[in-house]
Amino acid sequence: MPVVPANQPQLIRSSQKDEYYQNNLTNNANELFHTFAGSRRWLQWRKEIELLSDLTYYVLTTSSGYQTLGEEYVSIIQVDPSKRRIPSRMRRTALIVCHTIVPYLLDKVLICIENELEAEAPQTSRMWRPLSHVRLWIQRAVGMLTESQRKALIPLVFALQQGITLLYRLHVALFYITGAFYHIGKRAACVSYLRVGNVAGDDPRISNSYRLLGALSLLQLGITLTLQFNNLRQRQRRSIQSCQSSSRSSRCVLCLEERRNTSSTPCGHLFCWECITEWCNTKTECPLCREKFQPHRLVFLRNYN
């Protein structure tokens, strides 16, 4: 059977198709859990539900040796670095771990460290929470730090979070240029793709357009890094000031004025209704913690003082 390397459009379409089915699976799991466990439990476990949904999808496809629905849609197959064999079970398992579990753990640990550094007193809870043992270990480690050390670490954690985001952007730009490894997890596991069936030569204009897009993405990334470097000290000051302010502060962080028609995101942060709805027109995430959510989950807090 003739095979050639998959190109950028096929890899992108495959990923989009997989994300569509993963989102359907996650939404159904969220509705089921919300119905039986209630809103409070759902807010506590929504990240874990998303993780388990993604793991279920990839265990039933990649781990079992089958194509994902996206790969089947564009007729591509996974191969190991030799380009001649299907990835071994160990390599497929490493791919799933790098693609789902590692990003989840990074996000959870960094948010936990940030919260503990910003907290004025140790946060205790009798209710079992995800990664509660890790949270307890982080609390003990942070408790050994002085106040000045904690303040100095807050900007470093913020810089690390921003660095991970920039790394993802750099990786996508390199994918546009080289045409290989659309996801960091696949690059880490050295899993690439071959297309099956239609092996007609690619239109050079398509590859050139993606290379141009990659070059523009790198240019934009460079400009972003320059701006962030120039504004780093100002952002650190604003971050420290926001950490010291009361959680029920009456100031909206989007318009920097007193909140009007206070509204809450699913993660609990407060904004003006007009500000957050306008924000959601461009980004469906919390401006503070970057938690993804759908606009219809915004809650208007009537009679909130």
Side-chain angles (χ1 to χ4, degrees), residues 164 167 245 258 277-278 289:
I164 293 175
L167 177 63
S245 64
E258 187 172 353
T277 53
E278 183 177 354
C289 66

Side-chain angles (χ1 to χ4, degrees), residues 205-246:
R205 293 174 297 180
I206 297 178
S207 299
N208 292 335
S209 64
Y210 274 98
R211 292 192 185 97
L212 176 60
L213 179 60
L216 292 175
S217 298
L218 288 177
L219 177 61
Q220 182 187 30
L221 183 60
I223 295 174
T224 301
L225 285 172
T226 302
L227 293 175
Q228 287 192 354
F229 180 78
N230 293 334
N231 298 328
L232 181 59
R233 292 183 179 179
Q234 296 179 0
R235 291 184 178 182
Q236 290 175 357
R237 294 194 193 100
R238 289 198 298 266
S239 177
I240 294 174
Q241 290 174 359
S242 63
C243 294
Q244 295 175 342
S245 64
S246 171

